[in-house]
Amino acid sequence: MAICNTVVPIKSKSGAISYKAQSQDEDALVNAAARLHMVYANKNGNILEIRFHGLIIQYEILETLEFTSDRKRMSVVVKDCQNGKILLLSKGADEAILPCASAGQQTRTFVDAVEQYAQLGLRTLCLAWRELKENEYREWSFMFKEASSTLVDREWRIAEVCQRLEHNLEVLGVTAIEDRLQDGVPETIETLRKAGINFWMLTGDKQNTAIQIALSCNFISPEPKGQLLLIDGKTEDEVCRSLERVLLTMRSTFSQPKDVAFVVDGWALEIALRHHWEAFTELATLSRTAICCRVTPSQKAQLVELLKSCDYRTLAIGDGGNDVRMIQQADIGVGISGREGLQAARAADYSIGKFRFLKRLILVHGRYSYNRTAFLSQYSFYKSLLICFIQIFFSFISGVSGTSLFNSVSLMAYNVFYTSIPVLVSVLDKDLNEETVMQHPQILFYCQAGRLLNPSTFAGWFGRSLFHAIVVFVISINAYAYEKSEMEELSMVALSGCIWLQAFVVALETNSFTKLQHLAIWGNLIAFYIINWMFSALPSSGMYTIMFRLCRQPSYWITVFLIVAAGMGPILALKYFRYTYRPSKINILQQAERRGGPILSLGSIEPLQARTIEEDVSPLSITQPKNRNPVYEPLLSDSPNSTRRSFGSGTPFDFFQSQRLSSYSRNCKDN
Amino acid sequence: MASSSAGGPGSGDAAPPRRNSKRPKYSRFTQQELPACKPILTPRWVISAFLLVGIVFIPIGVISLFASQDVVEIVDRYDSVCIPKNFTNDKVKYIQSPGSKPPCHRILNVTKHMKQPIYVYYQLDNFYQNHRRYVKSRNDKQLRDPSSENDISGCKPEDSNSRGVIVPCGLIAWSLFNDTYNFSHNNQQLKVNRRGISWKSDRDHKFGKDVFPKNFQSGGLIGGGKLAYNVSLSEQEDLIVWMRTAALPTFRKLYGKIEVDLQKGDVINVTLGNYYNTYSFNGKKKLVLSTTSWLGGKNDFLGIAYLTVGGLCFFLALSFTLIYLIKPRQLGDPTFLSWNRGPGGH
C-alpha cells in the first residue's frame, strides 16, 4: 500500500511528512499505511524509504506501469534493497486483478469481501503481488523499454507488454475507502429536480457502490416508491434484450408517479452505444434518472453527446481530470475545484467550490443572467430600430433622398453616450428575491421555456420601437411646423423625445431600483442635456446655440412631455393589464413577495407531477424531442457526479481524523 | 465537517479556517445586495398615475388651444393669381422671362385685432429644402471667413464659373427667395422692419462681417434673387434666413415685422413682386401675416394632442377602476401559480 502508488512525500519543517498525491485514493492509502506504522518516508530518485517501527527499509523502483482506464490497474516493479528480490506489486479494480490471480487461489473470499464493501457504498480496490525472477524481469524490461519508445501505437504496445507481466498474481487483500458525500448534496439534487432538471450519474465505480451512493443522496428512491431497472449483458444479444425489457417498462410506467431509473455498466454501455443507438436514445429521453457505472472518460463524453443530440441542454459537473472531456463536451461545463486539483476547474466554463453551490449557480445566477441577457439584447435592438424608423419616416417627407434627420455627432453619441449607460446598470436587476427562487425552484421552468426571449417577445419590442418612432415623428413634425420648421431644431426635438422615451422604457422594465439604477437612468438624461449644451456652445459646430434656444421655448418642453405621455401611456396600460389579469408566474411571485409573509406552495413536491402540470414545457421535453419548437428548449442537466470522488473530495482528511479508521482500508483506484 | 453557509458564494476556495483564503472581499456591490426598491404595478398606483396625467394634461391642452386660438393669421396664396392673363398656360415661361415684371396687387382683410409686432412670412409648399443634395450644398467656412473664399468643396454645381469662384457658393444660396411685398393701409405705407429677422448667432458667428458676395447669380441659369455686392454677408438678412434650411417641404420663413397694431376690419393693400419660380415643380407661394403667442404661431396640434392624451388617460383610469371593482383580483395569490393547481386545473 505504501509503495504501489505515485505519491511523493514532502517533509515539512517540523519533521511531519505530508503526501502529494495525484488522487485522493492514493493519498488515503498511503496515510492509512502510515497509521499502520508503515510510513512512506522519503523518495530519492528511484529509492523509496519506508520506516517501519523505526527501521528503515529501502526499495528501488525499477518500473512503473501506469494506470490506464483499459487495464484498470496499476503496477510497480520494485527491488528490495535488503535481499535483492524483484517484486511486482499491483493494485486495481477487482475485476481487473482477480482474473489475473494465479489458479488455485481462493478468490471466493475476496469476491465476497468486495461485494460486502460495495453494499456499504465503499470504493473497493484489490492488491496483489508476485515475485519475479532476475532474467524474467530483464527480458520483460527490454520489451517494455522498446514498447515505450515506439512511435506507432504506443499505448497499445505498452498495454500488451504489461499484460505479459501481470499474470499469476497472488492476491493480497481488498481495500475499501469511504468517499463521503459533500454537504448539501441531497438537498441540491432535490431542489434542482423540482426545477425540472434531470440528473444522470456517471461514475467509474462498481455498480453496487454507485447504487448505494445514489440511494444515500436521494438520487433514486428505494422500493416501493422507485424502481431500478438494470441493463446488463456481455454480448450484443444480451444487451439488446435487456434494453428492450427496460424500454418496455419505461414506456408503460411513464405516466405513473413512480420514480423509475435505469442502471447500466460500462461494458453494456459500450455495446449499447455501438449497436443500439436508437433504442438507447429513446431510453435516454424517457428516463429522468440514470446511473452509469464503470464508465470511461470517453464514454462519459459520448453520453453527453447523445443527450445533446436529443435537443437537450446539458450541464456536466465533475471534479477530476477524467471529467475534463465530458465537461468540454457539454453545453455548460462546471468544474468543482477542490483537493483533486484544478484540472476540471480549468477546463470548465464555471468553476465552483462545492457541489451544493450548483443550486445557487443554476437557480440564482443562471436565472438572473438569463433575464438580464434577454432584456439587454432586446433593448439594444429596440433603441437602434427606433432611430432607424424615424430616419425612414423622415425620408418620406424629404423626397426620399436620404437626408438624415439627425446630425452626425448626435448619431455617433447616441449609441455610445446617450443610451448605453442605463442598460449597463441593468446587470444589477433582480426580478425575484433569492429566497423566493430557492423556495420555488419550479420557476426555472419559466426560463427553460424561453419565455423571456423568443420570437413573440422580440416582435413585441419591435412593435414597441415602431410605435414609439411613429409617436416621436408625428408629434415633432406637427409641433414644429411652419415657421418653427428648421432642420437642426427639429432634429434635436426628435432626439430629445427618443432619449426621454428610452429613459422611461428602461425604468418600466427594471424590476429593482437601486441607487445606481436611479443614477444611471436619470443621470443619463441630465448628461444628455449637458453634452448637448456643450456642443451648442461651440461656434464651429452645426448645433451652435440650438439647445439653448430650444430649452428656452416652452413649446419644446410641452412637445417632449407629450411625446413621453403618448409613448408610454399605452405601454404602461398594456403592461398593467397583463400584470394584473394575466400574470406570468414571475409576476405572481413578485406580488406575493411584496405582500410579505410565507408563500405557500400547496402543490405536491413530486417532481413527476409538477412536470405534467406545467403545461408548457415538460411534456414537450420528454415525449417529443425531435419535433420540438426550437425556441422552447428545456434544460436537462446531465449532472453526472462523475466519479464519486466529486462527492467526497471535500473531506477525506477530516474523515480520517474524525471517523474510525477500520483495519481494512480499501483501495479505490481512480478511474 | 465543512460548515455550510448560505451566504454569498465566494468564487475561490471557501474552506473556512484558512489563513490565505481566496474569498473575495465582501462589498454590497459585488454581492449584489445593494438596497433596492422593487416597485410593482398595483392598481392603486397605476390608476392614480393615469389620473394624474389626465388631470395635468387636460388643462395644458386647454391652455395651448386657447393660445393657438388667440393667434390671428392671414394667409393668402398668390402664385396662381399673380400671372398676367396671357401667360396663364405657360407660367414657367413667364417667370423665367427676363426683364422687369409688373407688380401684383392683392387685398388682405383683417378679421380680428392684431397686436404688434405682426410677423410677415412667406410660405412655400412642396419645396424640399430638406433634400440631401440641397442640404449639403453649402460651405460654411467660405461664409465665415474671407480668406477661405476659394473653399468651395461640396458646393457643386454652383461653386465657380468662368469668371471665378462664387461667393456664397452652393445651391441653397443660389435659390434665394426674391419675392417682395409692400403693404399700405388707407393709402399710408406700412413700414416693414426687415432687420433683425435672422438669428443673432448666425449674424455674429456664421456669416462673416467682411465677406462680400462675388460672382453671385452671374451664370447662365438664375435660381433666385441677387445680392448687393457692397453689403457684407452678415448684413444680408434675407440670405441668412433663407440659408437656415427648413425640415419640412411646407415651411414659412420670416420676411419682416410690422410694428403697428392692425385693427379689426382694416384692409391692407399688398403690392408684391412675383419673381420667384415655383412653377417648375408645382410649388405654392403664400403670404402670411401672423401674430405670435408664447407657444409660437397658430398651431392647434399641441392643444388637441394634449386634450386627446389627457382624455384617453382619464378613460383608461376609469375603465381600470371599473374592472378592478367588478372583478377584483388579489395580487400575489399563490393559488394562481400553475404548479399549485390540481392536475385538473387550468
Side-chain angles (χ1 to χ4, degrees):
Chain A
M1 272 191 328
I3 305 177
C4 182
N5 50 38
T6 50
V7 174
V8 175
I10 302 177
K11 256 213 173 78
S12 72
K13 286 202 195 97
S14 57
I17 302 180
S18 64
Y19 296 105
K20 196 166 101 159
Q22 266 185 4
S23 76
Q24 295 291 333
D25 300 302
E26 294 196 334
D27 208 19
L29 286 176
V30 173
N31 273 299
R35 290 281 177 111
L36 297 172
H37 303 292
M38 195 66 103
V39 181
Y40 176 14
N42 213 352
K43 182 170 180 177
N44 276 338
N46 272 348
I47 310 279
L48 286 178
E49 267 180 24
I50 306 284
R51 235 202 328 241
F52 182 56
H53 285 310
L55 271 175
I56 297 202
I57 312 176
Q58 284 194 340
Y59 287 92
E60 185 187 339
I61 295 192
L62 299 172
E63 301 289 350
T64 310
L65 282 67
E66 304 263 337
F67 175 81
T68 61
S69 26
D70 299 314
R71 270 175 34 232
K72 296 207 207 311
R73 57 180 177 256
M74 120 174 230
S75 312
V76 289
V77 181
V78 296
K79 180 165 162 180
D80 192 344
C81 295
Q82 274 71 236
N83 49 20
K85 279 210 240 171
I86 302 185
L87 304 164
L88 168 75
L89 303 171
S90 279
K91 162 172 100 174
D94 56 320
E95 65 246 14
I97 297 280
L98 292 177
C100 301
S102 56
Q105 272 217 301
Q106 282 291 33
T107 51
R108 198 66 230 236
T109 39
F110 297 122
V111 170
D112 283 342
V114 165
E115 279 307 313
Q116 208 184 349
Y117 288 138
Q119 288 287 49
L120 292 173
L122 304 171
R123 309 180 63 147
T124 61
L125 275 180
C126 282
L127 303 170
W129 74 310
R130 183 156 80 95
E131 195 176 323
L132 296 175
K133 294 209 221 347
E134 185 75 33
N135 49 350
E136 185 189 350
Y137 166 65
R138 235 179 308 194
E139 238 178 77
W140 178 86
S141 163
F142 183 64
M143 275 192 289
F144 185 67
K145 280 200 184 44
E146 199 186 305
S148 316
S149 48
T150 55
L151 298 167
V152 180
D153 271 342
R154 187 165 172 273
E155 279 124 26
W156 184 79
R157 296 202 60 179
I158 291 186
E160 197 197 16
V161 169
C162 293
Q163 196 72 12
R164 287 192 203 215
L165 199 62
E166 289 164 347
H167 60 91
N168 267 355
L169 298 169
E170 207 178 300
V171 180
L172 278 174
V174 174
T175 62
I177 292 187
E178 178 179 355
D179 211 357
R180 268 226 320 240
L181 276 185
Q182 281 189 0
D183 287 330
V185 169
E187 291 85 34
T188 309
I189 295 186
E190 171 98 23
T191 315
L192 289 177
R193 274 255 171 77
K194 266 206 276 188
I197 299 178
N198 297 355
F199 277 81
W200 283 35
M201 177 204 267
L202 309 180
T203 172
D205 291 333
K206 280 171 66 67
Q207 190 162 306
N208 283 333
T209 317
I211 294 180
Q212 286 308 314
I213 293 297
L215 281 171
S216 77
C217 70
N218 257 347
F219 202 73
I220 54 180
S221 336
E223 309 262 339
K225 205 158 151 227
Q227 199 188 359
L228 207 56
L229 306 166
L230 213 55
I231 300 179
D232 59 4
K234 297 266 185 311
T235 69
E236 206 181 308
D237 292 321
E238 275 179 40
V239 171
C240 183
R241 262 178 279 137
S242 181
L243 201 58
E244 293 287 329
R245 236 176 321 147
V246 170
L247 257 181
L248 225 62
T249 328
M250 277 284 189
R251 281 192 210 126
S252 59
T253 60
F254 179 59
S255 44
Q256 287 171 25
K258 223 175 174 204
D259 242 346
V260 185
F262 73 87
V263 185
V264 61
D265 80 350
W267 191 246
L269 185 65
E270 186 73 35
I271 298 178
L273 286 177
R274 214 177 304 152
H275 299 288
H276 308 290
W277 181 271
E278 291 86 23
F280 195 73
T281 312
E282 194 189 334
L283 182 63
T285 52
L286 279 179
S287 59
R288 298 180 64 242
T289 316
I291 303 178
C292 307
C293 346
R294 290 281 187 230
V295 285
T296 60
S298 60
Q299 276 176 332
K300 288 182 193 169
Q302 266 181 310
L303 274 172
V304 171
E305 201 185 312
L306 183 136
L307 285 167
K308 264 169 66 165
S309 72
C310 301
D311 266 345
Y312 281 125
R313 277 279 137 72
T314 52
L315 179 148
I317 176 168
D319 67 352
N322 50 357
D323 301 325
V324 167
R325 289 181 63 173
M326 163 184 80
I327 286 178
Q328 285 174 336
Q329 178 81 286
D331 289 314
I332 309 168
V334 179
I336 302 187
S337 62
R339 301 235 173 93
E340 254 326 291
L342 295 170
Q343 262 174 313
R346 281 205 206 106
D349 301 317
Y350 298 97
S351 111
I352 54 184
K354 300 238 190 287
F355 183 81
R356 63 164 195 273
F357 294 157
L358 187 67
K359 184 164 74 160
R360 236 184 115 80
L361 182 69
I362 295 183
L363 284 183
V364 174
H365 293 290
R367 225 183 60 84
Y368 282 155
S369 170
Y370 174 72
N371 292 344
R372 294 161 184 169
T373 311
F375 170 66
L376 191 62
S377 49
Q378 291 176 319
Y379 177 77
S380 303
F381 275 106
Y382 158 80
K383 66 178 172 143
S384 302
L385 281 174
L386 184 59
I387 292 290
C388 288
F389 277 133
I390 296 182
Q391 299 271 49
I392 293 179
F393 293 145
F394 184 69
S395 78
F396 289 135
I397 59 164
S398 70
V400 204
S401 62
T403 318
S404 164
L405 177 57
F406 304 104
N407 57 38
S408 49
V409 170
S410 300
L411 278 181
M412 265 192 330
Y414 177 73
N415 261 324
V416 175
F417 292 121
Y418 301 153
T419 54
S420 60
I421 313 285
V423 283
L424 282 183
V425 199
S426 77
V427 299
L428 291 178
D429 189 36
K430 292 185 176 186
D431 55 346
L432 285 176
N433 249 345
E434 294 175 14
E435 291 93 40
T436 321
V437 175
M438 294 297 205
Q439 258 186 312
H440 292 259
Q442 298 95 330
I443 197 71
L444 196 65
F445 272 137
Y446 202 66
C447 295
Q448 290 182 359
R451 278 298 172 76
L452 292 175
L453 186 62
N454 56 43
S456 69
T457 59
F458 190 77
W461 280 91
F462 187 89
R464 188 187 292 201
S465 78
L466 188 61
F467 170 67
H468 279 170
I470 292 177
V471 161
V472 169
F473 184 72
V474 166
I475 292 182
S476 338
I477 292 291
N478 285 307
Y480 271 72
Y482 300 129
E483 73 279 352
K484 292 218 200 72
S485 166
E486 200 268 320
M487 277 294 271
E488 304 280 350
E489 285 196 348
L490 188 69
S491 118
M492 287 323 291
V493 171
L495 194 63
S496 315
C498 288
I499 304 289
W500 274 86
L501 268 182
Q502 286 186 5
F504 278 94
V505 162
V506 174
L508 200 61
E509 295 292 323
T510 310
N511 298 101
S512 70
F513 282 92
T514 62
K515 282 209 201 61
L516 279 175
Q517 249 107 348
H518 280 298
L519 189 67
I521 297 177
W522 312 120
N524 185 55
L525 211 51
I526 297 176
F528 168 73
Y529 280 106
I530 293 180
I531 293 181
N532 279 305
W533 283 334
M534 284 189 336
F535 275 122
S536 303
L538 293 174
S540 52
S541 81
M543 265 177 50
Y544 184 50
T545 69
I546 295 283
M547 216 54 195
F548 294 128
R549 285 175 60 100
L550 278 180
C551 290
R552 272 200 291 261
Q553 298 170 2
S555 58
Y556 167 75
W557 296 106
I558 288 188
T559 313
V560 165
F561 289 139
L562 181 65
I563 291 178
V564 171
M568 292 313 295
I571 309 269
L572 181 65
L574 205 62
K575 188 164 172 158
Y576 167 73
F577 187 75
R578 241 194 260 150
Y579 195 80
T580 317
Y581 298 101
R582 265 182 227 262
S584 65
K585 295 163 195 54
I586 292 186
N587 294 338
I588 298 183
L589 286 178
Q590 277 176 328
Q591 295 159 359
E593 244 179 49
R594 191 48 183 258
R595 278 191 321 156
I599 305 171
L600 301 171
S601 198
L602 311 165
S604 72
I605 311 293
E606 279 261 3
L608 196 60
Q609 190 160 16
R611 201 182 42 163
T612 49
I613 283 177
E614 199 60 32
E615 64 270 31
D616 16 286
V617 175
S618 29
L620 274 174
S621 75
I622 303 300
T623 53
Q624 292 150 31
K626 290 298 186 296
N627 33 336
R628 156 170 334 159
N629 186 339
V631 160
Y632 297 75
E633 273 160 356
L635 184 83
L636 173 63
S637 168
D638 195 27
S639 173
N641 306 304
S642 52
T643 55
R644 277 222 306 124
R645 71 187 52 242
S646 75
F647 286 110
S649 60
T651 56
F653 278 102
D654 302 57
F655 158 65
F656 274 112
Q657 276 143 24
S658 59
Q659 295 277 14
R660 38 107 184 113
L661 174 52
S662 38
S663 49
Y664 37 85
S665 66
R666 290 171 176 253
N667 220 337
C668 277
K669 207 43 196 167
D670 46 308
N671 248 337
Chain B
M1 187 86 135
S3 57
S4 50
S5 56
S11 60
D13 195 330
R18 268 223 187 160
R19 199 128 351 121
N20 48 346
S21 165
K22 292 197 206 116
R23 191 177 216 145
K25 211 158 87 119
Y26 173 79
S27 93
R28 297 190 83 168
F29 174 64
T30 55
Q31 294 299 328
Q32 295 185 35
E33 281 169 17
L34 289 171
C37 107
K38 291 200 186 164
I40 60 168
L41 297 175
T42 53
R44 203 159 51 110
W45 278 105
V46 172
I47 292 178
S48 34
F50 276 119
L51 217 54
L52 186 69
V53 169
I55 290 179
V56 167
F57 270 37
I58 291 191
I60 296 184
V62 169
I63 295 174
S64 306
L65 211 52
F66 275 151
S68 172
Q69 300 289 0
D70 273 345
V71 169
V72 189
E73 192 186 60
I74 307 175
V75 180
D76 177 43
R77 183 180 173 191
Y78 62 86
D79 63 312
S80 44
V81 296
C82 275
I83 303 272
K85 291 230 172 20
N86 44 345
F87 281 101
T88 342
N89 290 329
D90 202 354
K91 302 190 176 123
V92 181
K93 190 152 160 239
Y94 167 72
I95 206 77
Q96 280 181 342
S97 57
S100 63
K101 302 181 176 60
C104 178
H105 294 280
R106 305 280 300 154
I107 310 268
L108 299 176
N109 289 311
V110 179
T111 48
K112 258 171 73 172
H113 171 76
M114 290 170 84
K115 278 186 62 151
Q116 61 101 2
I118 302 175
Y119 291 87
V120 180
Y121 299 101
Y122 53 90
Q123 177 175 329
L124 285 168
D125 285 8
N126 206 31
F127 191 105
Y128 283 81
Q129 268 206 327
N130 55 13
H131 194 282
R132 183 176 54 87
R133 298 188 62 179
Y134 186 93
V135 166
K136 61 179 199 134
S137 180
R138 63 193 284 161
N139 192 306
D140 289 325
K141 278 215 204 68
Q142 196 196 54
L143 298 171
R144 215 182 351 244
D145 201 1
S147 55
S148 316
E149 190 178 82
N150 292 318
D151 194 349
I152 50 172
S153 62
C155 281
K156 264 187 148 36
E158 287 297 323
D159 45 2
S160 63
N161 58 16
S162 52
R163 271 172 279 221
V165 162
I166 298 180
V167 176
C169 71
L171 282 174
I172 308 183
W174 175 80
S175 58
L176 178 62
F177 189 78
N178 59 349
D179 282 3
T180 55
Y181 312 106
N182 280 305
F183 302 90
S184 64
H185 164 67
N186 287 343
N187 287 326
Q188 255 191 325
Q189 187 81 327
L190 276 176
K191 184 164 176 309
V192 178
N193 183 2
R194 306 213 53 220
R195 305 209 66 97
I197 55 176
S198 56
W199 292 9
K200 186 162 187 314
S201 62
D202 279 355
R203 287 201 298 274
D204 291 344
H205 291 102
K206 258 204 138 101
F207 290 81
K209 289 192 181 46
D210 36 1
V211 183
F212 293 91
K214 219 168 92 163
N215 270 339
F216 191 67
Q217 295 288 16
S218 57
L221 196 56
I222 309 274
K226 291 196 165 49
L227 290 175
Y229 284 108
N230 52 351
V231 181
S232 77
L233 286 191
S234 68
E235 287 167 36
Q236 306 260 22
E237 304 229 10
D238 282 332
L239 180 70
I240 298 177
V241 167
W242 181 253
M243 289 198 78
R244 270 271 150 212
T245 44
L248 298 172
T250 307
F251 58 90
R252 290 179 190 170
K253 288 202 180 290
L254 192 55
Y255 180 82
K257 292 186 264 214
I258 296 180
E259 269 142 359
V260 291
D261 285 3
L262 290 178
Q263 310 301 331
K264 181 169 165 181
D266 278 359
V267 171
I268 313 280
N269 291 317
V270 187
T271 311
L272 47 78
N274 184 15
Y275 308 119
Y276 197 66
N277 179 11
T278 55
Y279 304 99
S280 317
F281 51 86
N282 286 327
K284 298 187 207 152
K285 292 191 284 190
K286 298 179 184 163
L287 173 64
V288 177
L289 262 71
S290 164
T291 54
T292 52
S293 66
W294 59 273
L295 209 50
K298 191 177 192 67
N299 194 345
D300 290 339
F301 174 76
L302 278 178
I304 296 179
Y306 262 85
L307 284 175
T308 318
V309 172
L312 268 175
C313 286
F314 249 142
F315 168 71
L316 279 173
L318 276 173
S319 47
F320 280 142
T321 319
L322 270 171
I323 299 180
Y324 181 65
L325 291 173
I326 294 179
K327 209 166 105 157
R329 195 182 150 106
Q330 195 187 29
L331 291 182
D333 196 348
T335 57
F336 283 106
L337 287 169
S338 63
W339 55 79
N340 281 341
R341 298 193 199 143
H346 128 73

